[in-house]
Every structure is written in structure tokens, then in C-alpha cells.
Amino acid sequence: MTGDPGYSSAVIEVPQAEAAAGTSRTVWSPTHGPLNVVVPPGTVDGAVVWVQSPTAGNVAVTIRVSSPFPPPQPYPGAPAAGPGYPPPGQPYPGQPHPGQPFPGQPFPGQPFPGQPQPFPGQPQAFAGPPQAAPRNNKRNAVIGGSLVVLLALGCCGIVRVFSGDDDDSPQAGNRNGVAATAGSTGPKSTTPLAPEQYAQVLAASDTAIGTSFRKLATTDSAAFAKAAPTAVTTIRAEADKLRAVQPPAAAAAAHGQLTLELQSLGDMVDESASAKQECPAASPWATVLQSGWADGIREDAKKLAAADPAFKFGTFLPAAPKESKRRLKNGTFIARTSTGGSGHLKIKNGADDTTVSLVPAKGKKPKPVLTVYVRGGATFTAKGVRDGTYRVYTASGEDWDKGKKGFTRDCSFSKFDDTFKFSTTSFSASIWTITLTPVIGGNASTSDVDPKSFPN
């Protein structure tokens, strides 16, 4: 930690050539989470940039520019190894004398060129605030960018970037247990494009992504999953193409952030199509459009257009749909296949809207004899339950989709561990009361249920 309460710190090392041309790095650690670091062209050793971390807040990242190490000197008195070696005790050609810094490097204890003097007791790497304020956008925790190894020391992360050329084994992409994905596959241009050329590159990528991205526009999860692989491949390919481009100076910052968020959007589409959904009734298409990555691309597109109206990008990405909160009336039956009994099931609901299903305890795949919608904080009594032994299943959440008969947000599925026996005699009938909020002295436990095995 730097001693300032507003942010934590990290250090990333990049090769000298990449610091001169500008580059981007996406790294991750248990301390900071995903960090998207944009290294502007001409970055010098010791420069500080702000990065927004979803877990640690604002992170001040110091850029360490590595230099090729000179060949080792021989031991005192050892003869030269061959022609061209200096006499013992003398520096190699181009190497400074002992006590002197390397060319372009300050003397020990002095700040790097352009870096302000450190405050007393403050580390030199974090001597002053960066030039620009950090972004404060919500981002999904998706890893992208270059092949990295991350070593976390307390609150300060140290990042070293490997070229990947030293290890061709399958384990090369997962060093020290930290996973990473490959970045741009092509060389980065060192000559900025003219504004007209850059506008054409943006338009071409936008069109290429739009062709496959529009096929994701469906509320059917199966159709989304079928269209996702093509869209993901296209998004990642275009992100690589843009990453290899050197934009005009006015668009450099927005361009660097755009390539990172575009890569992460592709990763999110991939995960949305393959991961188990918390809410089966939810639309993965809406989830993608409402994500922080999609919001970031929209913001970067506005910044590019502000730099030059000809820089147009993001037409493939529709506006995020507004968050809805559809509900049914309290006591609405979603399904009911059995009536005419004498039993009652009284339901005292907690904070969330919930559907309660009464399911026969016997049978391989029994279906509910009733499923009723109970609003949060409300009470309802289902009457006419026939004699038998049943299990009670509950599904809670927000925004009820009538067509899919399920909630689309904040879903949870559970069941009571005990069974409920309803019986009727000539002078009595069973009346069960269940409370869906944990209470002191309660005598009923519940277990989570996989949405796929929930009885419908």
C-alpha cells in the first residue's frame, strides 16, 4: 500500500520496444482482480497510470521498462575470453563506470525524467498523482490480453510479461497457477494511421462484427448458444486487428481501452452461451447488452467520435434494454392439476416474490399438483389439497416472464428437506403452514436445488 487511503498499487514490467510503441496488458491476481493496463506510446521507466480494479478500486500501476542486461564481467584477474573483451576491471563498451547510471537513467535516489519528487517516506514509484482520473466503470471479471505471470505481494502486485518463446510446452500458458489468454497475433504498427485510414479500419471492423453479432438477438437460449461460436470468433479476430493498429494521437487512449473491452465482450458471449444460467428464463442476449463491457464499448465509441466525427464504431451494439420488473398478482396459480381435497397449505412469504410448488413425494419425475405465485411479504393459503405425501419446492427472484414461466433475475431454487403429509378424517383435515423467512426456533430445513432438476 502507498499510505494513501484512496488506492492500492501494482507494478508491471514491459519490454523497451513495446514501451516506445505503446501496448496494452490485461492481467489478473487474487489481490486486484482483472487489471486492464494501457501503456501509451513513449512511456518511460517509472511512469504511473491509473487502472480500475473491480475488487481493489483505483490501482496506481507503475510501468517498469526493462532494458537488455549487459554481458557479465569476468572475475577480477580472470583473462579475457576472446577478442573484443575489455581488460579485467574495465567496463564493457556502452556500459557505465561503477556508480554511474545507464544512459537515460537517473542517479540513484533521483526521480526519473518528468516524474515529480517523492514525498518524504513515500515510495518513489508513487510520487504523485497520474495525469488522468481513473475510469470508474463496472466491469465483468473476464481475463484477456497477453500471456502473463502475476505475483501478488500483500496489496501490491508485481507483474512480469513473458514473450512465450522460451517455453513451447502446453503448460506455458498457465505459469504459477495463473491462467492467461493470448493477445494480438500480429505485429503492432509503429506508424500512426491517417485519420481517413483509421476511420476506414473502424468501419470495416464494425461491419464484420455486426454480421454475426446480430444473430445473437434472440430470447431463445439454445439459438443464442448456436450462434455464439461464430460471433465470438469474429469479435476476437477484429479485436486483434484493431490492437495491431497505431491510431491517430487524438484517438490513442480510447482505442487502447476499446480493444481490451472488445476482447472481453467476446469472452462474455462465449461464457454466456456455455455457462449454467442462474435464471433459466433469462435472456443471455439481454445479459450481454446490459453488461459493463458493452457499456464500456459504447463509452469508447463516444470518445472516438468526439476526437473526430469520422471515427464511427459500435453500430453493431444495440442500446441496453431497460431493466423490467414484471410481477403477477398475489395468489395467482401458475399450474394446478388437482383440486377437491380438504387440506390447506398456508404460505407466509419473505422479502422476494416466490413460486411455491407442491409435488408428490413418490414417482420418478412427479409433476406439481399446484404452483402458486406469492408476492414478497405477502401471505396466501392454497386450499383443496388432496390427501397424500408431498414435497414443497420454492423458486424466488425478480421480473416474472409469463412465456417462460420463470424469473429472469436474482434467482434461487430450493426445497424443504421434510415431506408434508395431508390426511383427512371424519372430523379433521391437515393444515400446514410454511414460513419462507428463517425464524428463531424454526423446525424445517431447506436445500438448494439445481434449476435443471426443478419440477415443472
Side-chain angles (χ1 to χ4, degrees):
M1 297 298 290
T2 62
D4 295 332
Y7 59 89
S8 58
S9 57
V11 180
I12 182 173
E13 182 176 336
V14 298
Q16 198 173 46
E18 294 189 19
T23 186
S24 300
R25 288 287 183 269
T26 300
V27 298
W28 180 93
S29 80
T31 303
H32 300 110
L35 298 177
N36 298 326
V37 183
V38 178
V39 181
T43 296
V44 298
D45 190 15
V48 180
V49 298
W50 281 112
V51 178
Q52 180 68 20
S53 165
T55 59
N58 298 333
V59 179
V61 179
T62 298
I63 310 300
R64 309 305 307 188
V65 180
S66 59
S67 300
F69 291 101
Q73 298 187 30
Y75 289 103
Y85 280 80
Q90 296 296 321
Y92 283 77
Q95 181 184 12
H97 289 274
Q100 292 184 349
F102 283 87
Q105 184 179 14
F107 283 89
Q110 296 296 321
F112 286 83
Q115 184 179 10
Q117 293 286 343
F119 293 104
Q122 185 180 15
Q124 178 178 325
F126 310 104
Q131 295 291 332
R135 299 179 64 145
N136 189 20
N137 295 326
K138 181 180 179 183
R139 294 290 181 267
N140 304 77
V142 180
I143 304 173
S146 302
L147 182 63
V148 300
V149 172
L150 190 62
L151 304 176
L153 300 178
C155 294
C156 183
I158 302 177
V159 181
R160 291 195 177 273
V161 181
F162 293 86
S163 67
D165 296 334
D166 59 342
D167 190 353
D168 295 328
S169 65
Q171 291 78 17
N174 189 5
R175 304 173 191 264
N176 290 354
V178 179
T181 58
S184 175
T185 57
K188 183 177 178 65
S189 172
T190 58
T191 304
L193 296 178
E196 297 79 7
Q197 295 173 314
Y198 182 62
Q200 293 175 358
V201 170
L202 288 176
S205 287
D206 189 65
T207 300
I209 295 172
T211 301
S212 57
F213 194 78
R214 282 188 289 269
K215 295 181 181 179
L216 300 174
T218 175
T219 57
D220 188 339
S221 298
F224 182 94
K226 184 177 180 180
T230 301
V232 170
T233 300
T234 303
I235 292 173
R236 289 173 175 169
E238 295 305 317
D240 281 344
K241 291 179 182 178
L242 291 175
R243 193 177 290 113
V245 166
Q246 183 71 15
H255 178 88
Q257 193 67 29
L258 175 66
T259 59
L260 295 174
E261 288 168 338
L262 193 61
Q263 178 76 31
S264 297
L265 182 70
D267 294 340
M268 184 180 184
V269 171
D270 191 16
E271 290 187 358
S272 297
S274 58
K276 182 174 66 174
Q277 298 294 325
E278 176 191 37
C279 299
S283 167
W285 169 246
T287 301
V288 169
L289 297 185
Q290 293 171 339
S291 69
W293 302 116
D295 286 343
I297 291 174
R298 297 185 187 100
E299 292 175 11
D300 294 330
K302 291 179 181 179
K303 292 179 180 179
L304 289 173
D308 190 327
F311 298 163
K312 297 179 180 180
F313 188 82
T315 61
F316 71 90
L317 190 62
K322 293 183 178 180
E323 194 173 81
S324 58
K325 193 171 183 179
R326 296 165 288 181
R327 307 174 75 187
L328 296 178
K329 292 182 178 180
N330 187 56
T332 300
F333 282 97
I334 308 300
R336 184 154 196 183
T337 60
S338 176
T339 57
S342 301
H344 293 183
L345 178 64
K346 186 176 182 179
I347 305 161
K348 295 181 179 180
N349 198 10
D352 299 325
D353 287 9
T354 304
T355 61
V356 179
S357 298
L358 197 61
V359 183
K362 295 182 179 181
K364 292 184 178 180
K365 292 184 179 181
K367 294 184 177 297
V369 296
L370 67 86
T371 299
V372 63
Y373 189 105
V374 185
R375 287 195 170 193
T379 300
F380 181 76
T381 299
K383 301 178 181 179
V385 179
R386 292 187 177 182
D387 290 357
T389 302
Y390 300 90
R391 292 190 180 276
V392 173
Y393 288 78
T394 63
S396 301
E398 289 188 11
D399 187 39
W400 180 262
D401 188 320
K402 288 184 178 180
K404 295 184 177 181
K405 296 183 179 181
F407 295 103
T408 66
R409 292 194 308 274
D410 302 329
C411 298
S412 63
F413 300 85
S414 62
K415 70 175 180 178
F416 281 81
D417 296 328
D418 296 329
T419 58
F420 296 79
K421 184 177 181 179
F422 288 80
S423 59
T424 304
T425 66
S426 58
F427 55 86
S428 67
S430 299
I431 299 178
W432 284 97
T433 299
I434 58 174
T435 301
L436 303 184
T437 301
V439 295
I440 297 176
N443 58 359
S445 61
T446 61
S447 301
D448 292 337
V449 177
D450 189 321
K452 292 184 179 181
S453 60
F454 199 83
N456 296 313

